[in-house]
Amino acid sequence: MNNFCLSGGVRPASLAPRGLCLLLSMAILAGSCREQDATFPKVIVLGFDGMDPKLCERLMDAGQLPHLSKMRNNGGYRRLATTIPPQSPVAWASFITGADPGIHGVFDFIHRDASRQCVPYYSVAETIESDQGWEIGDYKIPLTFWPFNHQAVETKLRRGGTPFWDYLDEAGVPVRIYDIPANYPPSPSHAGHMCCLSGMGVPDLLGTLGGMYQFFSDAIVVARDEPGGGGMRHPLVFKNHTAKGAITGPRNVYDRKGKSARVPFVIHRHPSDPTARIEIQDQTIVLQEGEWSDWQEIDFELEMPSLLPNAHVVGMCRFYLQKVHPTFRLYVTPINIDPSDPGDQKISEPPEFVTRIADELGRFYTTGFQEDHKALSNKVFSDEEFRQQADYVLEERLALLEYALAHYNDGLLFFYFSSTDLQAHMFWWESDEKHPVRSPTEAAKYNDVIVELYKRMDQVVGDVVQRYGETATILVMSDHGFVNFKRQFNLNTWLRKNGYLRPSDCGSLLDPTKGAPVDWSRSRAYGMGLNGLYVNLKGRELYGSVDPEDRNALLSKITEQLLAERDPQNGKQIIAKVYRTDEVYTNPDAATVPDLIIGYESGYRASWATTLGDLSNEVVADNDATWSADHCIAADQVPGVLYSNHPITTNDPSLLDLAPTILTLFQVEVPQTMTGVTVFDRKDAVVATVGFPGKRPIKE
Amino acid sequence: MQPMAEWMVNILNWLLIAGGQLWFWTWENLKAICGVLWGVVDAVLNPVLSPVLSILNPVCVVVGDVIYAAIDLLPIWVGLILLSAGTGVVMLVFFRYTSNQTAIARAKDDIKANLLALKLFRDDLRVVFSAQGKVLLAVLRLQRHVLLPVLLATPFMLLVMAQMGIRHQWRPLHPNERTLIKMTMRPSSGKSTQAVLRAHPGVRVEVGPVPGGNQFVWRVRAGQLGRHVLQFDVGSTVVEKEFVVAKGLERVSALRPGADWTSQLIHPVERPLPTASPVESIEILYPSLESRVYGTDYWLLTFFVVSMIVALILSPVFKVKF
């Protein structure tokens, strides 16, 4: 935000204008991020999710990343050790808190509820439904006001620990954070100096992590809801080149039957030209084949009892006309929370931070996963269509970065890019081996997309350095690297094969229709999530069978067997490391933490089925998905990167060092929960903080 | 106690549900009845008002152009406030000469007198009830005397607002800006009728027309600056529509209506389409004018607030009672 009365450290000449400024500030900025009258050091952190050191080094050696190379040549480059496991929510939670998963409590994308045996849930946020309310007919309406004080539906951040920016906030340092993962709903700013826009983890309006829609007239494609909130596919029937459809919106939380709101639309397609017109609510959208619409507001009406006015939930989406003739296909993005009118959905701190951005920039993606990888995985998108959509996301994010820089004076600025992660998952293939789904030519072509993306990110870094390199400490970091994902390992099938999961014909931990149900009284361990292995422990799991005193021996035996496992296809080791969480984490919560974290070898990863508890016939199989690269393996095989415009003096920096480094740059005391150390020499840190008014004590 | 409370809640819910359904039923039927009544009124008025508006509108547009040209040098919000204030004065004078000021003064005096009686004889129930009744009657009388001049002023006000609307509700397209042109066909036009937008330097067709329903829709980009006339070949006829590309603020005609008096009233710039034309209307989706004082919808609020305040302040000067 522009500091209209005190910009760039310029102070008012007399007390009178200062008082006037203060009054105006209080009046205008009440409830928004507070502005300071001091000049603070400038620290800019650019977070590139999944930027890989091996590729960076290769491209730097080839002279293709000149700006990052310059930092390396000045001693400002190291590989950055990542978390165990190297998953984005885990790693970013560690970046945020400067602590390991034992402190912040995020161990995987997916956790399991041991009190219900192994029911999975999203690890970073949870939505708590209200069980109170005024029951009238088919409706139940929470009366959140006095004297009823019913609990409203609420989304809570599960990530624990204290974000490093809380200490800056308390010290009065201006903090601006854009698109930070693992912070939805955004943590509050206690002192009012922090503004934060949530990133990865923000759901769409349906509560999923990105459910697209496809409407099609193909006779052979089957209408279905894609698994895992991957979207909905609906058939259309054209009559005289006109068809009717409906976008399914959020569930009506007031309807006891849980009906979903729907917004009908009409499509008119040209009888012969590749054009079509969509009439939805009061909007008309005219598109040519291959074109995207702008963001369109969609107003979902939630029915209420007759006497009460209906409730409304407003979101936004874009339409993409994929094909008109002979078959018709229309893609609709997930219904994003509208940044210009987020309603009750809190996606920024303070809530008006996002609306201020939208007032200037217009609408932009707000869901945590913006690149629609599920559309590519489910064959709704072709490779090229995914690339175009991902390019659009990047352009939006670059505009947001421009906004962030234009409104930045001093203090901390953090900006996150997802492109380097989600595009890499779909396009990365650093190998001559056969790609899971692409021909060698296609695999090389799309791998080049990643190379070009890295070059683009290098330009972004160059631009920031050019504008702030003389006055700011700039950190460029990633949470992990990338490797090919060629073979998938079903941990639960392996456990079944080795007698840890019974009976021998069980097919799923959760779904009894997929083979025999699991006999928990005879099962001793199970896998859930991408890297977690849990002992079926008595007193913890609902149907626990293993006595606590037998746990250590069981874990040792499983570890030994896992490390000895070889791929029957090529004889390679599948699992590089097995981490015991009670050894690698600080005081983890025994109720939620996995007992073991499986660190796969490069080229291997947990199978798609095993992440949600399903078993397969084979323990190891080829990965047959477009999602052809990953990082959920042994942590030392996928480090991230750390660049700076100041020499980095520690030899082996880790993600846990970044929070202490940032606090030190602002001369804010590093709390004891942070085990890392600053990555800069003390004198460099002092150079970086010239002009800072002095150390600010913090309250613990 | 518990079953009793539950029973009471059930009764309350039942009453609310039944009340809700009754309200819903009443509302829907009221709407339907009003719709039928409006249809009858419209059918009666349209043959009279549509030709009248066809004559009046061009005159009003010229007058509007002259007035807006006179305030062209002022900031637009100042111009709007001046026009609103001027309208307030005109309405005040109009009211002065179309209302029965003596009767209004008498009704107001009666209200004051009876309010005084209420204050003085608050212990005497007979007087209180009598005074309340007289106040009510005086208020109704006052309303009756006010209603006639208001009804007489309404057509003038509608014409004034229509002229302001075409200058404040939308803004012209900027060069290269994208919009939609919607042509609505009459049901009698036949499904095989084709529409073609002739090439023109003021507009570049991106997509379309896309037919469907009873409409043809083009997605276009604005071309050269100017007040253009677009020509459409529709079957064997040629239909024209004004299309404005400008960098500043100018009046625009968002819709060329058919011979329908309500549409003609709101969109007064262009001649209505002939009844024999296969086209019912042509609409251009001009962008909203962004301003919380003189922009889309807000201009109306400014207009009403300023004109009423001016009328209230100046009423003693013009010796007007209302």
Side-chain angles (χ1 to χ4, degrees):
Chain A
M1 185 200 321
N2 279 326
N3 187 339
F4 67 93
C5 54
L6 294 163
S7 177
V10 177
R11 290 160 190 274
S14 71
L15 281 177
R18 186 189 177 92
L20 189 63
C21 263
L22 185 68
L23 282 172
L24 281 170
S25 300
M26 286 168 67
I28 295 168
L29 301 175
S32 64
C33 318
R34 276 161 54 181
E35 299 293 328
Q36 291 75 27
D37 58 0
T39 303
F40 291 88
K42 294 182 175 67
V43 179
I44 299 174
V45 183
L46 298 178
F48 292 111
D49 201 315
M51 184 175 257
D52 182 69
K54 301 182 297 297
L55 182 57
C56 280
E57 287 160 15
R58 181 161 70 77
L59 295 176
M60 284 191 295
D61 292 344
Q64 293 183 303
L65 304 178
H67 302 103
L68 292 173
S69 289
K70 194 174 172 188
M71 286 182 170
R72 180 172 71 164
N73 296 341
N74 291 335
Y77 171 67
R78 293 284 187 282
R79 289 190 174 197
L80 187 67
T82 184
T83 49
I84 299 169
Q87 296 185 30
S88 289
V90 185
W92 287 108
S94 287
F95 165 76
I96 290 168
T97 57
D100 69 51
I103 302 291
H104 58 65
V106 180
F107 312 105
D108 199 295
F109 266 104
I110 298 159
H111 286 182
R112 61 74 175 102
D113 182 359
S115 67
R116 292 190 289 161
Q117 186 57 32
C118 59
V119 175
Y121 61 87
Y122 178 52
S123 60
V124 181
E126 71 174 322
T127 299
I128 300 161
E129 300 267 337
S130 174
D131 58 353
Q132 301 169 311
W134 170 38
E135 293 184 11
I136 173 166
D138 289 338
Y139 301 90
K140 188 174 186 178
I141 302 158
L143 305 174
T144 52
F145 47 85
W146 183 87
F148 307 99
N149 299 327
H150 292 160
Q151 174 73 43
V153 179
E154 191 185 8
T155 304
K156 278 189 172 172
L157 177 65
R158 284 180 183 273
R159 195 213 65 236
T162 306
F164 71 81
W165 56 71
D166 275 11
Y167 302 102
L168 298 177
D169 184 31
E170 198 171 330
V173 178
V175 178
R176 301 290 178 271
I177 292 171
Y178 294 85
D179 260 1
I180 186 85
N183 196 49
Y184 172 78
S187 59
S189 169
H190 299 294
H193 301 288
M194 188 273 287
C195 291
C196 171
L197 175 63
S198 295
M200 183 195 295
V202 177
D204 58 22
L205 221 55
L206 276 68
T208 73
L209 293 177
M212 57 87 209
Y213 306 81
Q214 193 191 33
F215 299 90
F216 56 86
S217 66
D218 309 44
I220 51 165
V221 181
V222 180
R224 64 172 186 269
D225 289 354
E226 297 294 352
M232 302 175 198
R233 305 178 79 177
H234 297 291
L236 290 172
V237 178
F238 277 90
K239 194 175 172 187
N240 294 328
H241 299 288
T242 296
K244 290 179 179 174
I247 294 178
T248 305
R251 192 172 59 82
N252 185 349
V253 289
Y254 307 112
D255 186 333
R256 290 200 280 181
K257 290 176 184 163
K259 273 194 298 188
S260 291
R262 285 159 67 84
V263 171
F265 62 84
V266 178
I267 297 170
H268 303 288
R269 69 171 168 186
H270 195 281
S272 55
D273 292 350
T275 58
R277 190 173 104 216
I278 303 149
E279 306 277 356
I280 183 163
Q281 294 185 324
D282 290 332
Q283 302 165 96
T284 302
I285 303 150
V286 175
L287 294 172
Q288 204 154 21
E289 192 170 282
E291 276 186 340
W292 287 81
S293 74
D294 294 330
W295 286 108
Q296 307 290 327
E297 181 182 299
I298 306 290
D299 181 356
F300 293 98
E301 195 167 13
L302 307 182
E303 275 185 25
M304 297 284 266
S306 303
L307 272 182
L308 298 175
N310 287 344
H312 289 260
V313 182
V314 178
M316 58 171 200
C317 64
R318 295 179 72 212
F319 295 84
Y320 169 51
L321 186 57
Q322 295 181 281
K323 200 162 173 52
V324 181
H325 296 292
T327 54
F328 181 92
R329 286 184 199 166
L330 177 73
Y331 164 91
V332 184
T333 62
I335 308 295
N336 280 237
I337 295 166
D338 184 348
S340 61
D341 180 17
D344 294 336
Q345 318 285 330
K346 191 181 174 190
I347 57 173
S348 72
E349 168 67 18
E352 62 271 20
F353 182 51
V354 70
T355 52
R356 281 204 305 265
I357 299 170
D359 283 348
E360 200 166 312
L361 282 187
R363 293 180 171 131
F364 53 86
Y365 271 101
T366 54
T367 48
F369 291 110
Q370 294 143 15
E371 291 86 353
D372 199 343
H373 59 89
K374 287 178 183 172
L376 179 56
S377 295
N378 294 330
K379 298 184 171 54
V380 171
F381 274 168
S382 66
D383 289 335
E384 201 51 35
E385 286 173 326
F386 174 75
R387 193 187 62 76
Q388 284 171 13
Q389 191 261 342
D391 275 353
Y392 178 84
V393 170
L394 180 58
E395 292 306 322
E396 267 193 0
R397 259 40 210 175
L398 290 173
L400 185 60
L401 174 65
E402 195 55 45
Y403 171 93
L405 293 172
H407 292 74
Y408 172 66
N409 292 324
D410 55 14
L412 174 71
L413 170 66
F414 172 87
F415 198 94
Y416 167 87
F417 284 94
S418 63
S419 303
T420 36
D421 181 77
L422 285 168
Q423 290 201 40
H425 275 299
M426 311 315 283
F427 287 152
W428 175 291
W429 193 250
E430 289 278 314
S431 169
D432 292 331
E433 288 182 286
K434 189 183 173 309
H435 187 276
V437 294
R438 294 191 188 104
S439 69
T441 318
E442 289 284 294
K445 174 184 161 189
Y446 285 105
N447 191 49
D448 281 348
V449 171
I450 303 301
V451 172
E452 291 305 315
L453 178 63
Y454 274 44
K455 290 184 193 170
R456 186 89 190 269
M457 295 296 103
D458 180 72
Q459 286 169 3
V460 169
V461 172
D463 179 45
V464 173
V465 170
Q466 190 185 13
R467 288 154 80 166
Y468 291 98
E470 296 294 318
T471 55
T473 301
I474 297 168
L475 292 165
V476 179
M477 48 81 63
S478 68
D479 55 336
H480 53 71
F482 259 92
V483 292
N484 295 343
F485 171 24
K486 188 160 175 58
R487 300 272 288 164
Q488 50 177 333
F489 180 80
N490 192 313
L491 181 61
N492 284 315
T493 307
W494 182 87
L495 289 168
R496 183 182 66 185
K497 181 184 151 195
N498 288 277
Y500 296 108
L501 201 56
R502 300 291 181 93
S504 57
D505 57 345
C506 66
S508 171
L509 303 185
L510 300 162
D511 187 350
T513 63
K514 296 178 179 173
V518 172
D519 180 354
W520 291 109
S521 65
R522 293 193 297 141
S523 295
R524 289 182 288 164
Y526 60 95
M528 184 60 74
L530 284 155
N531 295 89
L533 184 146
Y534 299 83
V535 169
N536 186 26
L537 199 64
K538 272 185 187 168
R540 185 180 68 180
E541 264 70 11
L542 180 63
Y543 307 115
S545 66
V546 177
D547 288 320
E549 56 266 28
D550 297 335
R551 177 176 170 269
N552 278 339
L554 177 64
L555 290 177
S556 298
K557 191 177 171 198
I558 290 175
T559 301
E560 191 183 317
Q561 285 180 284
L562 280 170
L563 290 172
E565 188 67 27
R566 295 292 181 271
D567 187 339
Q569 192 183 67
N570 53 32
K572 286 183 181 173
Q573 187 165 345
I574 297 168
I575 290 157
K577 291 211 166 101
V578 178
Y579 308 93
R580 277 190 64 145
T581 52
D582 49 8
E583 291 172 2
V584 294
Y585 293 158
T586 308
N587 301 324
D589 176 12
T592 55
V593 69
D595 296 285
L596 296 176
I597 299 288
I598 313 300
Y600 294 95
E601 273 286 357
S602 179
Y604 293 86
R605 204 206 69 178
S607 74
W608 295 104
T610 205
T611 53
L612 286 173
D614 283 350
L615 291 85
S616 51
N617 292 332
E618 295 169 315
V619 174
V620 196
D622 278 338
N623 171 32
D624 55 0
T626 320
W627 183 283
S628 54
D630 213 285
H631 45 79
C632 302
I633 62 169
D636 57 353
Q637 302 202 13
V638 278
V641 296
L642 177 64
Y643 290 91
S644 177
N645 58 342
H646 291 290
I648 298 167
T649 49
T650 51
N651 285 327
D652 301 305
S654 87
L655 264 178
L656 302 189
D657 295 332
L658 297 185
T661 300
I662 294 166
L663 292 183
T664 307
L665 287 171
F666 287 102
Q667 297 184 19
V668 170
E669 205 174 306
V670 177
Q672 287 182 344
T673 51
M674 296 185 184
T675 51
V677 293
T678 176
V679 301
F680 296 122
D681 193 317
R682 187 178 294 273
K683 70 177 181 350
D684 288 317
V686 170
V687 168
T689 57
V690 165
F692 186 54
K695 182 176 176 179
R696 305 286 175 109
I698 57 166
K699 291 175 195 163
E700 278 293 348
Chain B
M1 191 64 197
Q2 190 66 24
M4 173 67 91
E6 204 173 300
W7 182 78
M8 285 177 71
V9 166
N10 285 339
I11 291 285
L12 181 67
N13 279 349
W14 184 86
L15 285 172
L16 284 168
I17 291 169
Q21 283 170 348
L22 183 65
W23 165 251
F24 186 73
W25 180 87
T26 310
W27 176 245
E28 288 300 312
N29 281 293
L30 207 60
K31 276 199 299 186
I33 291 165
C34 286
V36 171
L37 285 177
W38 175 250
V40 172
V41 171
D42 189 42
V44 171
L45 289 181
N46 201 51
V48 180
L49 290 181
S50 178
V52 170
L53 283 169
S54 298
I55 297 163
L56 263 183
N57 276 341
V59 178
C60 292
V61 170
V62 170
V63 173
D65 283 348
V66 169
I67 292 172
Y68 268 83
I71 57 169
D72 194 36
L73 291 176
L74 297 171
I76 186 163
W77 63 272
V78 176
L80 177 64
I81 287 172
L82 281 179
L83 284 177
S84 306
T87 310
V89 171
V90 170
M91 292 314 299
L92 203 59
V93 173
F94 184 86
F95 191 84
R96 169 83 177 77
Y97 291 105
T98 53
S99 63
N100 183 345
Q101 286 288 300
T102 317
I104 289 174
R106 201 163 47 239
K108 288 181 83 170
D109 286 347
D110 280 358
I111 292 169
K112 279 183 202 164
N114 284 294
L115 285 175
L116 187 63
L118 276 172
K119 202 173 180 182
L120 293 175
F121 305 103
R122 70 180 78 170
D123 299 331
D124 188 334
L125 272 180
R126 195 173 56 84
V127 175
V128 166
F129 284 128
S130 165
Q132 281 179 342
K134 285 174 181 170
V135 167
L136 182 66
L137 284 174
V139 167
L140 289 173
R141 215 166 63 241
L142 181 64
Q143 295 299 319
R144 182 167 62 84
H145 291 306
V146 168
L147 190 65
L148 181 67
V150 166
L151 282 175
L152 289 173
T154 300
F156 169 74
M157 287 292 279
L158 288 174
L159 292 172
V160 169
M161 286 193 291
Q163 290 304 311
M164 294 175 114
I166 57 176
R167 292 165 176 90
H168 294 279
Q169 191 66 16
W170 306 277
R171 66 165 173 81
L173 290 157
H174 296 156
N176 210 33
E177 196 169 16
R178 186 186 268 181
T179 193
L180 298 180
I181 300 176
K182 290 183 176 182
M183 178 184 282
T184 304
M185 309 299 288
R186 289 187 198 282
S188 56
S189 63
K191 288 194 184 272
S192 59
T193 307
Q194 295 298 308
V196 177
L197 170 56
R198 288 188 190 171
H200 190 286
V203 71
R204 194 177 80 241
V205 175
E206 282 191 338
V207 183
V210 182
N214 60 339
Q215 285 188 324
F216 289 92
V217 181
W218 289 260
R219 198 181 78 202
V220 299
R221 273 194 194 275
Q224 288 177 6
L225 290 169
R227 188 171 288 276
H228 310 291
V229 175
L230 304 183
Q231 292 187 314
F232 301 82
D233 293 311
V234 186
S236 58
T237 60
V238 177
V239 184
E240 293 181 337
K241 172 78 189 81
E242 187 189 83
F243 185 79
V244 185
V245 185
K247 286 180 179 168
L249 297 180
E250 288 185 28
R251 69 164 159 77
V252 296
S253 168
L255 184 104
R256 184 174 179 191
D260 169 45
W261 73 276
T262 48
S263 299
Q264 284 174 255
L265 195 62
I266 300 167
H267 303 282
V269 177
E270 296 177 273
R271 279 182 302 110
L273 291 158
T275 321
S277 169
V279 181
E280 191 170 285
S281 66
I282 308 176
E283 185 183 10
I284 292 168
L285 302 187
Y286 285 107
S288 300
L289 182 55
E290 298 289 333
S291 165
R292 297 211 164 179
V293 178
Y294 59 81
T296 305
D297 297 339
Y298 286 98
W299 69 268
L300 204 57
L301 186 68
T302 307
F303 172 71
F304 276 119
V305 169
V306 172
S307 57
M308 280 196 289
I309 288 173
V310 166
L312 277 173
I313 290 171
L314 295 182
S315 59
V317 178
F318 287 90
K319 295 178 181 163
V320 179
K321 290 186 189 305
F322 51 76

